[in-house]
Amino acid sequence: MTQTNPAPAFTLDDAARRALFLDARSAIAFADRPVDPEVVSRVWDLAKWGPTSQNTQPLRLVVAASQEARSAVIAAAMPGNRPKLERAPLLVVAAHDDRFHDHHELTSPGFPEIHGRFESDPAGRGAIAHGGAMLQLGYVIVALRGEGLAVRPYGGIDRAALTDALLPEHWRAEVVLGIGHPAPDHGAGERKGRIPADTAVVTR
Ligand SMILES: Cc1cc2nc3c(=O)[nH]c(=O)nc-3n(C[C@H](O)[C@H](O)[C@H](O)COP(=O)(O)O)c2cc1C
């Protein structure tokens, strides 16, 4: 009788799981080489396929490629975050688009009434915009790691100041990403604990 191998426990192989999760850290030290800003569009074109509520896709990304834009991002950060952001070769602002529903013909074809529903409910729209952008940000972080890059997110920023300084109309800053090629030492210190599955997962 021929012996069959047991099915693998995971679809992703060990190297991919290490690169995306197990070995990936929120780095503050990076290799001394630039990151091509083009990688952000490439990453977007992968991460955009992750699911969002009603396919609304509210995340927007601002690549701070110029020295002026970098300075504006760093100036809007809390003082403790500034030296860390200085060390990141590429800074990207993750934002939400408060008028994401203007894209409804692409994102909800055949349902034009969805535009009016979001238009008449700014509070509900804001909640979807924030929550959806943060969800998509998770996809973007994993996609950046999939490109072999290291990334640290920063929520410690003056969002209103950064929005005013750098963002297109109707976009609102959420989080800054410091991105670079990995260095031998990520500089992020000891890995902090993670909530285990037997605490975080309940089966009923
Ligand atoms: C939404 C968000 C906001 C964060 N804000 C900051 C911040 O303001 N400053 C900072 O140094 N790190 C910030 N971090 C980084 C976290 O502290 C870090 O990802 C976490 O401790 C896990 O680290 P590890 O990936 O190296 O295990 C933030 C992370 C996220 C996801």
Side-chain angles (χ1 to χ4, degrees), residues 113-136:
E113 64 276 13
I114 201 169
H115 187 270
R117 223 183 296 149
F118 282 127
E119 192 64 35
S120 62
D121 180 16
R125 191 169 86 227
I128 293 243
H130 169 69
M134 295 303 281
L135 176 64
Q136 286 188 285

Side-chain angles (χ1 to χ4, degrees), residues 50-58 100 108 114 118 128 131-132 135 139:
T52 53
S53 173
Q54 295 170 80
N55 199 33
T56 43
Q57 305 165 62
F100 63 83
S108 283
I114 201 169
F118 282 127
I128 293 243
L135 176 64
Y139 307 145

Side-chain angles (χ1 to χ4, degrees), residues 24-26 81 84 134 145 152-156 175 188 191 194:
R25 294 294 311 274
S26 300
N81 282 333
K84 293 185 267 186
M134 295 303 281
R145 290 172 168 182
R152 186 178 186 93
Y154 292 86
V175 170
R191 184 85 128 166
R194 295 300 203 262

Side-chain angles (χ1 to χ4, degrees), residues 55-125:
N55 199 33
T56 43
Q57 305 165 62
L59 180 67
R60 303 291 180 262
L61 300 174
V62 177
V63 182
S66 69
Q67 199 49 56
E68 293 74 18
R70 264 186 82 85
S71 300
V73 173
I74 293 166
M78 298 304 154
N81 282 333
R82 286 180 200 153
K84 293 185 267 186
L85 288 167
E86 297 274 10
R87 297 171 73 181
L90 185 66
L91 301 181
V92 171
V93 182
H96 74 250
D97 182 357
D98 185 49
R99 295 207 57 82
F100 63 83
H101 55 309
D102 287 346
H103 299 273
H104 71 96
E105 286 177 9
L106 174 69
T107 60
S108 283
F111 293 97
E113 64 276 13
I114 201 169
H115 187 270
R117 223 183 296 149
F118 282 127
E119 192 64 35
S120 62
D121 180 16
R125 191 169 86 227

Side-chain angles (χ1 to χ4, degrees), residues 158-193:
D158 181 335
R159 292 180 174 79
L162 185 52
T163 296
D164 286 349
L166 208 59
L167 270 52
E169 202 182 4
H170 306 304
W171 295 16
R172 311 268 185 268
E174 294 276 6
V175 170
V176 172
L177 300 178
I179 302 166
H181 294 279
D185 180 1
H186 48 69
E190 284 284 300
R191 184 85 128 166
K192 292 185 197 145

